[in-house]
Amino acid sequence: MPLFLICFCFSLTIQAQTQGFAFCQTPGSLSTLLTASEKSSVTDLIVNGSINACDFQFLRDSMPLLSYLDISNTTIVSYTGFMGTSFGQIVTYPDNTVPEIAFINKTTLISITLPSTVTTIGDNAFYNCNKLYTVSFTSPSSLTSIGNYAFKKCSTILSFTIPSTVNFIGESAFSECSGMYYAITIPSSVTEINTNTFYGCTYLSSITIPSSVTTIDEDAFANCSALLTVDANNPNYSSINGVLFDKNKTTLIQCPTSISGRYVIPSTVTTLSIPNDYYGAFYGCKNLTSIVIPSSVTTINNNQTFGNCSGLKTLYASASSPISISSLGTFNGASTSTCVLHVPYGSKNAYSKSKPWSYFSNIVEASVWNGTGVYTNSSNWSSASVPASGDDVVVAGGELAIDQSITVNNLTIDPGAKITLQSWWNSITVLGNLTILSNSSGTGTFIDNGGTINVSGTTTVQQYLTGAGNTNPNGRYW
């Protein structure tokens, strides 16, 4: 006769928790050690001894109030049969493995402590445990593998420390862990971050990616708030201020949803999103109000690169010809009825006929000056050559976006006119004075976006007098 020893110590606390302890000498026998009343009432359970997939099936399906589970002093042994967690199917469950779908949809589970001998967390093991708060690994952990969808939709986990022994993290392993906040460090033994691994982790603060990671699959960090930091020695990937790129910064892979305000895509970038992304580089970036796409970008991959960028107010497309985009869902949820699409002078007609760019209700020609030729804009601008360092320049109206550095003598910005530096590396050097005029309808505007304006003389804001004309009649309209 096998020996079974079980001891239950019941106590009613303020939280009405019922506690129990069980020692299981024979794997698969846990269900025989509890009475019907105990099965339906126990909330906190410590199990010692040997268990297998049959016991996990019992814990999941036959203990409706189970909230706190400590199996740190158990040994998980193999089992082959149809009584495991995939009930009714003949499956072989390996040693030292939290079985596949072990606690799937176990919405009462709040905390679990696993034994140090566990090497694998199976596919869907904790899927949709939407009250799971704590997952603890007894030290020293032997965990090497976290299966596909293992913790998907565990929306109340605040933090998760991935043991340094882990070398595999499966597809969607932490997808939609929307409550996860504290920083994640990927162990240096991991070489691949799979599809959707951290999709929808909308409160996660940061993720550190080691040099060992050589493959990042589709949408691995889509709709994720975490600032991404890549080890400088990584051979395939890099990061700038939390944004993920390939090594040479020619492909912008993922912008975290926590990035806010105006974002200027670096001029090294030629491609947005990686092929086969479903969501893509800027999906869910609701905090961004303005994005500048440089003329270097020639390819926008996937279905929803700018999807759900609902806070976007301005989008600057610097290419004179619209980038060909096969997906008509690229701007889904990007408020194309209110977001203003700024395009180079003379290209409005082309953009208005090219889907999905044509979905924007308001397309404005705001030329990006590239240092050559003649600039002409709306009726309150007149044609003029590109200014030289000795020129006095009056900006009489409209908007001029500049993507390099210029030098002028005196610079005057009329009411309602705007000069925008596209990037932090752009500058305007004013050898004389900068004058910004205003009237009852507004003030001239200069937006630096991190770039610089250097003024040798004085900078003043003057009252613009009706009928006075321009303050410098000899100035050149540009």
Side-chain angles (χ1 to χ4, degrees):
M1 291 286 292
L3 174 65
F4 301 109
L5 175 62
I6 182 168
C7 174
F8 279 97
C9 302
F10 296 106
S11 64
L12 188 65
T13 67
I14 295 175
Q15 293 80 23
Q17 295 173 324
T18 303
Q19 300 174 337
F21 169 82
F23 178 80
C24 185
Q25 183 171 332
T26 301
S29 64
L30 186 59
S31 64
T32 68
L33 306 180
L34 282 74
T35 66
S37 175
E38 292 163 349
K39 294 174 184 178
S40 63
S41 63
V42 169
T43 58
D44 299 18
L45 181 63
I46 299 173
V47 180
N48 290 353
S50 296
I51 58 176
N52 64 19
C54 300
D55 300 307
F56 281 96
Q57 185 271 330
F58 163 72
L59 291 168
R60 182 192 67 202
D61 297 341
S62 300
M63 299 193 69
L65 299 182
L66 183 63
S67 301
Y68 298 87
L69 178 62
D70 183 347
I71 55 173
S72 58
N73 290 314
T74 63
T75 299
I76 302 172
V77 300
S78 63
Y79 169 76
T80 299
F82 57 85
M83 298 294 290
T85 51
S86 294
F87 193 79
Q89 302 177 43
I90 297 178
V91 175
T92 295
Y93 303 88
D95 289 330
N96 301 316
T97 297
V98 177
E100 60 187 50
I101 65 172
F103 294 101
I104 189 170
N105 297 323
K106 186 70 173 175
T107 57
T108 60
L109 190 63
I110 294 174
S111 174
I112 186 167
T113 304
L114 299 172
S116 63
T117 52
V118 166
T119 60
T120 301
I121 296 176
D123 293 350
N124 296 285
F126 295 94
Y127 181 96
N128 197 37
C129 288
N130 59 17
K131 291 194 173 53
L132 186 61
Y133 184 82
T134 303
V135 180
S136 302
F137 300 92
T138 305
S139 182
S141 176
S142 303
L143 190 69
T144 59
S145 178
I146 300 174
N148 298 328
Y149 309 94
F151 294 96
K152 182 174 181 177
K153 294 190 176 182
C154 291
S155 56
T156 55
I157 293 180
L158 281 182
S159 65
F160 192 99
T161 301
I162 302 175
S164 61
T165 49
V166 169
N167 57 42
F168 176 81
I169 303 174
E171 178 179 341
S172 296
F174 297 99
S175 177
E176 299 178 69
C177 288
S178 55
M180 194 181 292
Y181 176 79
Y182 296 101
I184 291 284
T185 298
I186 306 294
S188 59
S189 47
V190 172
T191 60
E192 180 177 8
I193 301 176
N194 279 282
T195 302
N196 291 330
T197 297
F198 292 98
Y199 167 80
C201 293
T202 51
Y203 283 96
L204 190 57
S205 60
S206 67
I207 298 175
T208 300
I209 302 169
S211 60
S212 60
V213 172
T214 56
T215 302
I216 296 177
D217 292 335
E218 296 86 354
D219 293 317
F221 304 104
N223 199 32
C224 176
S225 60
L227 296 177
L228 304 168
T229 301
V230 180
D231 188 288
N233 294 317
N234 190 293
N236 294 343
Y237 301 99
S238 62
S239 59
I240 303 175
N241 298 326
V243 180
L244 179 65
F245 300 85
D246 67 344
K247 185 64 175 180
N248 296 324
K249 299 179 178 65
T250 58
T251 299
L252 194 158
I253 299 171
Q254 197 68 58
C255 179
T257 59
S258 57
I259 299 291
S260 61
R262 183 181 177 94
Y263 183 75
V264 179
I265 297 170
S267 60
T268 56
V269 173
T270 61
T271 302
L272 301 182
S273 307
I274 59 177
N276 301 320
D277 269 356
Y278 179 78
Y279 298 103
F282 291 94
Y283 182 86
C285 290
K286 298 178 181 180
N287 296 316
L288 284 177
T289 57
S290 181
I291 299 173
V292 177
I293 307 173
S295 57
S296 59
V297 174
T298 57
T299 302
I300 299 178
N301 284 313
N302 92 35
N303 288 331
Q304 301 182 73
T305 291
F306 299 99
N308 281 355
C309 291
S310 56
L312 202 60
K313 296 179 180 178
T314 55
L315 179 66
Y316 290 83
S318 303
S320 56
S321 297
I323 300 169
S324 178
I325 303 175
S326 60
S327 171
L328 300 183
T330 298
F331 300 107
N332 278 350
S335 301
T336 53
S337 61
T338 57
C339 177
V340 179
L341 174 61
H342 292 266
V343 300
Y345 180 78
S347 63
K348 178 178 179 178
N349 186 54
Y351 276 87
S352 64
K353 293 180 179 180
S354 176
K355 293 181 179 181
W357 301 102
S358 60
Y359 295 164
F360 286 86
S361 301
N362 194 356
I363 301 177
V364 175
E365 292 182 349
S367 182
V368 177
W369 180 68
N370 62 11
T372 61
V374 174
Y375 176 75
T376 305
N377 201 342
S378 57
S379 58
N380 57 349
W381 292 81
S382 61
S383 299
S385 300
V386 171
S389 60
D391 289 340
D392 291 338
V393 175
V394 176
V395 183
E399 177 178 358
L400 179 63
I402 301 171
D403 70 351
Q404 63 176 59
S405 299
I406 64 170
T407 300
V408 299
N409 188 26
N410 295 305
L411 175 62
T412 301
I413 306 176
D414 274 6
K418 181 189 296 185
I419 292 180
T420 301
L421 295 182
Q422 294 289 71
S423 306
W424 61 268
W425 57 82
N426 303 145
S427 67
I428 296 178
T429 299
V430 181
L431 301 177
N433 300 323
L434 169 65
T435 303
I436 301 176
L437 298 176
S438 63
N439 64 14
S440 59
S441 62
T443 300
T445 305
F446 174 80
I447 301 175
D448 62 23
N449 289 314
T452 57
I453 183 166
N454 303 302
V455 181
S456 299
T458 59
T459 300
T460 58
V461 177
Q462 298 178 348
Q463 181 65 38
Y464 191 93
L465 301 176
T466 303
N470 296 296
T471 59
N472 188 343
N474 298 317
R476 177 184 298 173
Y477 287 84
W478 171 57

